[in-house]
Amino acid sequence: MTSPPEQVQPPVDPPGAGCQLERFPGVLERGAPGRDEPWSWYVRRRGRNALRRLGRLLRPEVAAASGAGACPFPAAQLRTGDLVRVRPAEEIRRTLDARGGVKGCSFGTGMYQYCGRELRVARTVHRFFDEARFRMLRARDMVILEGIHCDGSDLADTRGCDRMCAYFWRTEWLERVEEAGR
């Protein structure tokens, strides 16, 4: 008679933020966080967002003073295959709000190494999956550049992250470069 195989316990992670890839199977077993959300939270969140939009419509001077739309560069209309130049770091810093982003899209510290370089647009982003909220979100004026991804080297607690996540680039941070052959 054979004895059952012993269960091997996985190593305990140190306190702090763990790797998303390691925690993802546990999330799938529990289901999406939104499924457990009480309906009153959903109504409250939708109502709060509707009131914000209504306030911006009724008082546009408050929205302009709060920094919404304060970016000095217009959003370029970019398509897949366009050649672009990433603006210099000083210009990009002027576009960022207090949280380090433009219209909800953050400019990561690993993105500064590409400032001033000419790159090609791999694709435009219209929708993406937000892993933190477990939802599909819409996007406007965002692109992904060819061959540019996060290598995890600028993050302190990555433990060798190899996900190679693509950076989202706001079109305000890019300027189109006219090619001679076009």
Side-chain angles (χ1 to χ4, degrees):
M1 188 160 142
T2 61
S3 62
E6 292 185 28
Q7 294 288 335
V8 177
Q9 295 295 326
V12 178
D13 277 345
C19 179
Q20 291 177 349
L21 210 53
E22 294 169 0
R23 289 185 293 170
F24 192 65
V27 172
L28 288 178
E29 293 166 6
R30 289 192 315 267
R35 293 182 189 155
D36 299 333
E37 184 179 66
W39 66 270
S40 60
W41 290 5
Y42 175 80
V43 171
R44 188 179 329 149
R45 186 176 62 242
R46 290 294 185 168
R48 185 175 53 233
N49 290 342
L51 287 174
R52 283 182 189 150
R53 274 182 258 147
L54 183 62
R56 277 188 240 129
L57 288 173
L58 296 176
R59 298 184 303 164
E61 69 281 353
V62 173
S66 69
C71 185
F73 308 113
Q77 298 299 318
L78 300 176
R79 295 185 314 250
T80 302
D82 285 349
L83 188 64
V84 296
R85 181 180 300 113
V86 180
R87 293 186 187 276
E90 299 80 35
E91 290 183 13
I92 291 175
R93 282 191 193 101
R94 281 186 280 157
T95 67
L96 303 179
D97 59 12
R99 288 186 261 166
V102 173
K103 299 179 184 175
C105 183
S106 297
F107 193 83
T109 55
M111 297 167 77
Y112 282 105
Q113 63 185 323
Y114 302 108
C115 289
R117 289 183 51 187
E118 290 185 6
L119 303 160
R120 199 162 294 280
V121 175
R123 64 183 337 160
T124 57
V125 178
H126 301 288
R127 297 180 68 184
F128 66 95
F129 184 74
D130 183 11
E131 291 178 356
R133 291 187 256 177
F134 213 78
R135 290 187 168 84
M136 287 296 292
L137 299 177
R138 291 186 198 147
R140 193 177 314 152
D141 299 328
M142 285 188 353
V143 297
I144 295 175
L145 301 178
E146 283 183 4
I148 305 301
H149 61 273
C150 175
D151 59 358
S153 62
D154 61 323
L155 303 173
D157 188 26
T158 58
R159 296 180 300 169
C161 180
D162 60 353
R163 292 186 70 185
M164 296 178 58
C165 301
Y167 285 124
F168 288 160
W169 295 85
R170 294 286 312 174
T171 56
E172 291 91 342
W173 301 330
L174 308 171
E175 53 189 348
R176 182 180 285 135
V177 176
E178 296 299 325
E179 296 181 67
R182 271 192 160 168

